[in-house]
């Protein structure tokens, strides 16, 4: 059975890796004054600098050869053509149609999906105009001031991330809240202090059966009914779902139900009615600007040559760092507080998509797939995990996201912020030799014996790979481009590894087992089929609980 490592392009990259493994990026920059220009690509408000990676022109050429050998271009076309590339679930993965504002036909099973997409967008527009304009009134006649999005996974992470990122575009007096965790603290902490008469809940669940979401939704309904009566539900709840029967049974007027399609995966659903809470926050015109930004990246991804293609380049360099340089993790480091939830959003996008061990055909991949992804906004991360990135023997690759223009008129703050970001990429590339450390200590007047003791601790190996993404500003259009950039990066890597990035079977097993554990916690199941550790933990928790 052949694996990816049997490909001639993979073997060529292994040989190339052995030839450049001991080359330091310091030397690469010294040898090529044009290195920045050579390894920088721009598309509208987005700039990608990938020069601070352990690559040469030959590396990029060989990586593009690998992309051609696994047919990235062919798989890309299959996705845009609406083929059922999510083979395990028999579905297309046509999220690109959701942001197709040029309205060229996108077909699934021979049917153009664009009329249905546009119809939902128009319904979203009418709803957002009514809420934001105070036309929609709650059961007591008051306009809505607070919107609570109840969802989990893609039904929470995307809208929550984007709503925070685009807060400057929000409407004064309209507050957005997000509840996802089954922990009652999440819901209670959100609704405590809200006025039921001016609160609207949006329940986001494709099947309207997701345990966490529906448990939270039912508790929210109980809270509302206790204050306003059962007749209030239809004026204070909307749904994003495909299960009309369940939505109606819950008490939600089907006129306030917004659907989407099985070819929209959860972690790719922000662009659909799942983004309703975001549209309410920023208005439908700005929501469509987000879609247009993503569409611009889609068009670039579909049309640009491989070596000029931003998502392809990022995907290939990620494979190079993870599979050939053994990077154990990847950090996404946004130097803009508004993007604080972006790493969490990418954790689902990348690790749920590509955290798999078998190919589309069910055979072992043969190499490691997606690295662990983590991140925090700068400069907070500098005071926590950057130590490990700089000096640990384990290699961590990084994406730094820099924003040229802040929404806040605090130029001194912004200058310090950006200088830290750019300095970190330089420090990770250059490092510090022992000779340089000793020279710095000597310049500070440190005695020779103290230099001997301290110098080893002040050595930084450098040669740590980073990409730097520069945005003009965080606005709906550039955020749409940024999200789509990472979506297509994930897709490129999935094709390289030969895996299906659109299913998530690994999510299921623990959820199935949780049902029997819950019964045991409630005392209605003996737990005889559970292991001794789980039975013991259930018994201890029950013994300590005041609610059993």
């Amino acid at each position: 059975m052949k694996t990816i490592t049997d490909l001639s392009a993979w073997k060529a990259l292994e040989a190339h890796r052995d030839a450049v493994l001991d080359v330091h990026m310091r030397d690469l920059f010294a040898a090529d004054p044009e290195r920045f220009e050579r390894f920088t690509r721009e598309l509208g408000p987005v700039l990608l600098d990938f020069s601070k990676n352990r690559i040469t022109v030959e590396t990029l050429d060989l990586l593009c050869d690998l992309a051609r050998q696994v047919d990235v271009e062919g798989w890309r076309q299959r996705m845009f053509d609406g083929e059922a590339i999510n083979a395990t679930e028999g579905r297309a993965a046509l999220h690109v149609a959701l942001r197709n504002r040029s309205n060229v036909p996108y077909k699934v099973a021979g049917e153009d999906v664009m009329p249905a997409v546009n119809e939902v967008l128009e319904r979203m527009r009418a709803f957002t105009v009514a809420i934001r304009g105070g036309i929609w009134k709650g059961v007591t006649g008051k306009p809505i001031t607070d919107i609570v999005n109840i969802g989990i996974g893609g039904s929470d992470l995307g809208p929550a991330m984007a709503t925070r990122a685009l807060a400057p575009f929000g409407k004064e007096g309209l507050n957005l809240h997000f509840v996802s965790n089954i922990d009652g603290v999440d819901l209670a902490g959100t609704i405590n202090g809200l006025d039921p008469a001016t609160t609207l809940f949006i329940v986001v669940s494709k099947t309207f059966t997701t345990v966490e979401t529906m448990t939270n939704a039912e508790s929210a309904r109980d809270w509302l009914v206790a204050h306003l009566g059962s007749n209030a539900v239809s004026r204070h709840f909307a749904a994003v779902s495909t299960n009309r029967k369940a939505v109606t049974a819950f008490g939600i007027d089907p006129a306030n139900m917004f659907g989407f399609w099985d070819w929209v995966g959860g972690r790719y659903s922000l662009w659909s009615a799942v983004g309703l809470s975001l549209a309410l926050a920023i208005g439908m015109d700005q929501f469509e600007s987000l879609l247009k930004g993503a569409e611009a990246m889609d068009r670039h991804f579909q049309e640009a040559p491989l070596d000029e293609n931003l998502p392809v380049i990022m995907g290939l360099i990620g494979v190079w760092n993870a599979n050939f340089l053994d990077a154990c993790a990847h950090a996404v480091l946004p130097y803009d507080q508004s993007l604080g939830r972006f790493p969490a959003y990418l954790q689902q996008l990348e690790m749920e998509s590509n955290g798999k061990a078998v190919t589309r055909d069910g055979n072992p991949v043969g190499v490691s797939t997606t690295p662990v992804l983590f991140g925090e906004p700068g400069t907070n991360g500098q005071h926590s995990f950057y130590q490990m990135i700089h000096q640990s023997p384990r290699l961590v690759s990084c994406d730094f996201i820099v924003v040229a223009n802040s929404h806040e008129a605090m130029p001194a703050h912004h200058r310090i912020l950006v200088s830290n970001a750019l300095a970190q990429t330089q420090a990770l590339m250059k490092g510090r030799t022992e000779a340089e450390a000793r020279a710095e200590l000597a310049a500070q007047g440190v005695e020779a014996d103290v230099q001997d003791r301290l110098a080893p601790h002040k050595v930084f190996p450098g040669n740590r790979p980073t990409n730097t993404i520069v945005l003009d500003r965080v606005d709906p259009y550039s955020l749409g481009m940024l999200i789509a950039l990472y979506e297509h990066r994930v897709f490129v890597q999935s094709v390289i590894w030969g895996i299906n990035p659109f299913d998530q079977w690994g999510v299921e097993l623990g959820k199935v087992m949780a049902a029997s554990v819950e019964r045991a916690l409630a005392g209605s199941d003996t737990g005889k089929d559970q292991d001794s550790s789980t039975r013991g933990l259930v018994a201890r928790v029950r013994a300590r609980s005041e609610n059993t």
Side-chain angles (χ1 to χ4, degrees):
M1 181 181 64
K2 288 189 175 183
T3 67
I4 189 173
T5 57
D6 295 313
L7 295 177
S8 60
W10 192 276
K11 293 182 182 298
L13 280 162
E14 287 179 324
H16 176 67
R17 183 265 320 276
D18 294 341
V20 302
L21 194 59
D22 294 328
V23 175
H24 200 287
M25 276 189 270
R26 282 188 180 210
D27 301 322
L28 295 176
F29 274 92
D32 183 6
E34 305 299 318
R35 184 172 175 82
F36 171 75
E37 286 75 13
R38 199 178 310 284
F39 295 115
T40 298
R41 304 288 186 269
E42 296 183 64
L43 180 67
V46 178
L47 177 147
L48 170 65
D49 169 23
F50 56 102
S51 63
K52 293 191 180 82
N53 281 279
R54 252 187 279 178
I55 62 169
T56 64
V57 171
E58 183 182 1
T59 316
L60 187 58
D61 289 342
L62 291 172
L63 287 167
C64 288
D65 288 343
L66 176 63
R68 294 184 187 96
Q69 198 161 120
V70 299
D71 196 22
V72 164
E73 293 157 308
W75 280 100
R76 177 183 63 191
Q77 194 58 47
R78 292 184 188 102
M79 180 176 72
F80 279 90
D81 285 346
E83 293 186 21
I85 58 174
N86 179 359
T88 60
E89 296 178 308
R91 298 173 181 171
L94 201 56
H95 43 280
V96 293
L98 299 169
R99 60 257 191 151
N100 171 32
R101 304 323 304 137
S102 60
N103 275 308
V104 298
Y106 275 94
K107 295 183 178 181
V108 173
E111 181 179 352
D112 185 6
V113 303
M114 292 313 303
V117 168
N118 290 327
E119 189 269 335
V120 171
L121 287 172
E122 285 306 310
R123 292 186 60 235
M124 288 173 63
R125 177 175 290 277
F127 190 72
T128 58
V129 167
I131 297 291
R132 289 169 59 86
I135 301 166
W136 177 287
K137 300 292 197 302
V139 73
T140 67
K142 295 180 179 179
I144 299 299
T145 61
D146 291 88
I147 297 167
V148 181
N149 187 97
I150 300 178
I152 198 166
S155 299
D156 169 80
L157 285 165
M161 175 276 293
T163 298
R164 176 173 173 178
L166 300 176
F169 298 87
K171 178 179 173 58
E172 187 174 352
L174 188 62
N175 307 303
L176 271 291
H177 314 270
F178 292 86
V179 172
S180 59
N181 200 331
I182 192 63
D183 188 338
V185 172
D186 195 10
L187 177 64
T190 298
I191 62 178
N192 286 346
L194 297 185
D195 181 357
T198 61
T199 299
L200 174 72
F201 294 94
I202 301 175
V203 184
V204 188
S205 172
K206 180 182 285 188
T207 62
F208 229 62
T209 58
T210 308
V211 172
E212 299 92 337
T213 298
M214 296 316 301
T215 302
N216 280 325
E218 288 158 6
S219 295
R221 183 181 58 187
D222 291 344
W223 172 81
L224 183 79
V225 169
H227 287 86
L228 300 177
S230 58
N231 291 336
V233 174
S234 64
R235 297 301 296 172
H236 292 267
F237 273 85
V240 179
S241 179
T242 59
N243 190 340
R244 183 185 181 93
K245 182 178 179 180
V247 167
T248 304
F250 186 91
I252 296 174
D253 186 340
N256 303 323
M257 170 182 155
F258 299 84
F260 54 113
W261 306 271
D262 65 3
W263 44 263
V264 181
R267 51 195 175 275
Y268 300 88
S269 62
L270 170 64
W271 322 100
S272 70
V274 170
L276 180 61
S277 56
L278 172 63
L280 286 163
I282 64 175
M284 204 61 195
D285 287 345
Q286 297 291 3
F287 186 79
E288 293 214 7
S289 181
L290 178 88
L291 301 183
K292 289 175 182 177
E295 181 187 31
M297 187 60 70
D298 294 342
R299 191 178 306 114
H300 169 79
F301 176 55
Q302 192 173 21
E303 297 174 356
L306 295 180
D307 62 351
E308 297 291 331
N309 196 305
L310 274 68
V312 171
I313 290 169
M314 285 189 68
L316 292 174
I317 287 179
V319 168
W320 171 251
N321 287 329
N323 293 124
F324 295 92
L325 300 184
D326 297 327
C328 67
H330 183 69
V332 176
L333 310 167
Y335 275 70
D336 190 291
Q337 192 67 21
S338 70
L339 294 172
R341 291 290 291 164
F342 192 58
Y345 172 77
L346 291 182
Q347 284 177 333
Q348 185 196 26
L349 177 63
E350 299 222 2
M351 292 194 285
E352 193 168 271
S353 294
N354 287 345
K356 294 160 186 173
V358 297
T359 65
R360 291 182 293 267
D361 299 325
N363 297 314
V365 175
V367 297
S368 61
T369 55
T370 187
V372 174
L373 189 146
F374 67 102
E376 275 287 318
T379 57
N380 291 5
Q382 293 177 196
H383 293 268
S384 57
F385 52 79
Y386 278 40
Q387 166 62 46
M388 184 263 192
I389 294 174
H390 277 288
Q391 289 188 310
S392 170
R394 291 187 170 186
L395 184 66
V396 177
S397 57
C398 302
D399 290 346
F400 285 78
I401 302 175
V402 177
V403 178
N405 299 284
S406 172
H407 285 293
E408 302 300 331
M410 295 182 175
H413 287 248
H414 192 62
R415 187 168 57 250
I416 294 170
L417 178 72
V418 173
S419 66
N420 270 270
L422 302 184
Q424 287 292 335
T425 69
Q426 183 178 27
L428 285 163
M429 182 273 287
K430 291 186 68 174
R432 180 197 284 146
T433 66
E434 184 169 347
E436 289 168 340
R438 287 181 177 277
E440 288 184 15
L441 290 167
Q444 297 166 10
V446 175
E447 298 294 334
D449 60 332
V450 180
Q451 292 180 33
D452 291 340
R453 179 166 56 85
L454 291 181
H457 299 279
K458 296 174 74 67
V459 171
F460 290 67
N463 224 19
R464 305 293 169 110
T466 66
N467 299 308
T468 302
I469 298 169
V470 180
L471 305 179
D472 286 354
R473 55 183 46 81
V474 178
D475 59 23
Y477 188 86
S478 63
L479 182 64
M481 292 189 74
L482 182 68
I483 298 170
L485 169 63
Y486 275 91
E487 284 181 350
H488 295 317
R489 171 189 186 271
V490 167
F491 179 72
V492 168
Q493 292 183 335
S494 77
V495 176
I496 298 293
W497 292 319
I499 61 182
N500 176 9
F502 300 114
D503 60 12
Q504 53 279 329
W505 299 104
V507 176
E508 301 300 320
L509 181 58
K511 292 170 71 173
V512 170
M513 290 182 171
S516 65
V517 174
E518 183 185 357
R519 291 192 297 271
L521 284 168
S524 60
D525 191 311
T526 62
K528 64 180 184 301
D529 296 328
Q530 295 162 357
D531 62 86
S532 62
S533 170
T534 304
R535 285 198 306 272
L537 289 167
V538 166
R540 294 299 194 278
V541 171
R542 280 179 53 81
R544 291 168 181 257
S545 173
E546 298 174 0
N547 297 315
T548 54

